[in-house]
Amino acid sequence: MSLIVQKFGGTSVGSVERIQNVARRVVATREAGHQVAVIVSAMSGETNKLVALADAIGGESPSEREYDVLVSTGEQVTIALLSMAIHALGHGAVSFTGSQMGLRTDSAHSRARIEHIDADRIRKVLESGAVAVIAGFQGTDEQGNITTLGRGGSDTSAVAVACALAADACEIYTDVDGVYTTDPNMVSAARKLDRISYDEMLELASLGSKVLQIRSVKFAMQYDMPIHVRSSFHDGEGTWVVPEGDVMEQLVVSGVTYNRNEAKVRVADVKDTPGMASKIFGPLAEAGIVVDMIVQNVSNDGSTDMTFTVPKADHERALEIASGLSASLGDLRVEGDPEVAKVSIVGLGMKDHAGVAAKMFEVLATEGINIQMITTSEIKVSVVIDEKYTELAVRALHQAFVEDGAEEPREDS
Ligand code: ASP
Ligand code: MG
């Protein structure tokens, strides 16, 4: 008998009818002879409503502990309703909050990390033949305080539970059919991938595609847990996220993504001496600002410049901090530009193909798009461009690499 973990996101449990649909799907899996543990999100919009309530109460520094007590309640509603819906179909189901199931986290409220899962209680329920219905997104710390795992955290709960139970697979049911080669809302020729490696998925997830919470993919990778991302509205196969060795068709480019959520900061006239980078980026790190791309120029006349990107929400603060360093570090020139976008191509096959970056630059040049910054990793090339060309760049790159270039055979190294 196999053990399947199924996770249903907010849209999939967004109404009573939808919860009843989920119950039917869970029961069908159970009747097919599998043990089933289900992880659910709050009904769609509920977590946002709870966050808005906290904001409405206001106060100088809202207690992080109470924030988690509040926002974790959305999932508690869903586990109860889904369990009742399964009972109505004549099957056993037992609901678990994070605390009841023994999901232990650290004490970093609203962004807690999972430390340990005591899967015994769930296992007993599964062995009795019932379905375990588990609240995603929540756990408790050592002192028993309720914690939450960050927005979208139910994905991580699901994969972590699957790993703790040594499940055969973790199915993530969502409102899209799977992982696409690019945003299907932007490019109608986007196609669903059958399989994708953990590494590619991590790049895609961190580059702004919102199908899975990044940490869930890291968990899966660590434990080799296959994830099946699929639609909760029909039965079709979705996308399997699997170890690299299980991806047969290693595409040169399997995805084109974009992120409009970054802003650019340029610090010019930086003295070209040891320690300058740490003096500039140290204070940004202390302020909790996450810097993404960094480009430093070769020095010219003993000075250089550094350009980097930060989340748009931190742009003003990053500019203030960098400008504030001017006095102690010599006259720095600080300029910002929030109207940028990062566009990236990702693919395992890049590892053993030459000329992928060159082709990307050529495609952008043909469209008359100026490249402001470039970074690369083994399986990714990213560029920063003027935000207004985002769609044009994504369409052109998808056309060149996925629609026209998909046939390219893989050269084994
Ligand atoms: N309900 C939480 C959220 O909206 C967790 C999740 O859905 O994954 O972020
Ligand atoms: Mg989600």
Side-chain angles (χ1 to χ4, degrees):
M1 186 189 286
S2 57
L3 198 173
I4 309 285
V5 169
Q6 301 186 323
K7 182 253 167 177
F8 294 89
T11 324
S12 311
V13 293
S15 65
V16 167
E17 292 72 34
R18 287 186 175 177
I19 290 176
Q20 288 166 329
N21 276 336
V22 167
R24 276 190 281 276
R25 196 179 264 278
V26 170
V27 163
T29 312
R30 184 72 200 91
E31 285 176 350
H34 307 292
Q35 293 184 334
V36 192
V38 186
I39 283 81
V40 288
S41 291
M43 294 168 77
S44 59
E46 288 305 316
T47 309
N48 287 344
K49 274 188 210 155
L50 296 166
V51 171
L53 284 174
D55 289 346
I57 290 282
E60 279 297 280
S61 53
S63 156
E64 293 192 314
R65 181 184 183 278
E66 305 313 329
Y67 176 92
D68 277 352
V69 170
L70 176 69
V71 300
S72 62
T73 57
E75 273 72 11
Q76 191 166 336
V77 171
T78 325
I79 53 171
L81 292 175
L82 179 57
S83 299
M84 292 173 190
I86 296 173
H87 297 161
L89 296 173
H91 278 261
V94 180
S95 66
F96 290 93
T97 62
S99 125
Q100 288 171 327
M101 68 150 290
L103 189 146
R104 169 75 69 75
T105 70
D106 64 15
S107 301
H109 284 291
S110 82
R111 52 181 186 287
R113 295 194 164 264
I114 299 174
E115 287 176 344
H116 177 73
I117 294 181
D118 177 8
D120 284 354
R121 277 188 76 181
I122 299 178
R123 223 175 251 123
K124 284 208 186 81
V125 165
L126 297 179
E127 276 156 16
S128 78
V131 176
V133 181
I134 299 162
F137 179 53
Q138 56 179 267
T140 49
D141 70 4
E142 211 179 342
Q143 286 78 42
N145 298 304
I146 295 175
T147 55
T148 61
L149 309 180
R151 299 305 305 269
S154 302
D155 293 338
T156 303
S157 308
V159 177
V161 167
C163 296
L165 290 170
D168 294 277
C170 181
E171 299 184 328
I172 306 273
Y173 287 90
T174 176
D175 51 1
V176 295
D177 292 345
V179 181
Y180 275 72
T181 49
T182 192
D183 179 357
N185 297 319
M186 189 179 271
V187 183
S188 57
R191 72 175 174 88
K192 193 184 75 199
L193 292 157
D194 296 333
R195 281 167 177 253
I196 187 169
S197 68
Y198 297 128
D199 281 315
E200 287 169 304
M201 193 64 227
L202 277 179
E203 292 287 6
L204 295 178
S206 60
L207 294 169
S209 112
K210 295 179 205 71
V211 195
L212 287 175
Q213 204 197 30
I214 294 178
R215 274 158 55 206
S216 70
V217 185
K218 291 192 178 155
F219 252 108
M221 185 155 139
Q222 197 179 334
Y223 292 90
D224 270 356
M225 174 59 60
I227 302 180
H228 188 185
V229 180
R230 59 193 305 191
S231 168
S232 55
F233 302 124
H234 61 76
D235 276 333
E237 281 273 303
T239 303
W240 284 89
V241 189
V242 292
E244 185 173 326
D246 295 349
V247 182
M248 299 309 188
E249 185 200 17
Q250 300 205 333
L251 300 172
V252 176
V253 170
S254 44
V256 180
T257 63
Y258 62 93
N259 184 351
R260 290 180 164 128
N261 198 20
E262 291 190 18
K264 195 174 72 170
V265 178
R266 175 165 176 261
V267 183
D269 298 342
V270 179
K271 266 189 261 115
D272 194 15
T273 50
M276 290 302 278
S278 98
K279 286 183 186 126
I280 291 171
F281 292 104
L284 291 169
E286 270 158 39
I289 297 177
V290 179
V291 175
D292 179 26
M293 285 177 147
I294 303 179
V295 172
Q296 181 186 319
N297 263 333
V298 172
S299 91
N300 181 17
D301 299 334
S303 83
T304 182
D305 60 42
M306 292 179 195
T307 308
F308 54 92
T309 60
V310 296
K312 266 200 175 88
D314 292 328
H315 189 225
E316 288 299 325
R317 244 171 6 114
L319 288 175
E320 276 164 30
I321 292 172
S323 306
L325 296 170
S326 205
S328 59
L329 300 185
D331 282 328
L332 301 175
R333 236 171 349 111
V334 180
E335 298 161 3
D337 182 0
E339 260 131 54
V340 296
K342 181 169 75 170
V343 175
S344 313
I345 55 176
V346 174
L348 271 186
M350 251 179 234
K351 285 186 190 174
D352 39 38
H353 264 278
V356 178
K359 178 169 163 188
M360 179 184 195
F361 305 152
E362 188 197 315
V363 169
L364 296 172
T366 307
E367 299 297 337
I369 300 171
N370 188 42
I371 299 172
Q372 304 179 12
M373 296 170 79
I374 302 170
T375 58
T376 64
S377 79
E378 215 182 8
I379 62 165
K380 175 190 78 176
V381 185
S382 300
V383 296
V384 167
I385 60 171
D386 189 327
E387 188 176 2
K388 67 174 181 264
Y389 298 124
T390 313
E391 191 160 337
L392 180 62
V394 170
R395 283 171 188 272
L397 292 168
H398 191 267
Q399 168 91 45
F401 284 103
V402 181
E403 291 157 57
D404 301 344
E407 309 304 316
E408 263 174 284
R410 170 164 189 243
E411 281 160 32
D412 275 306
S413 46

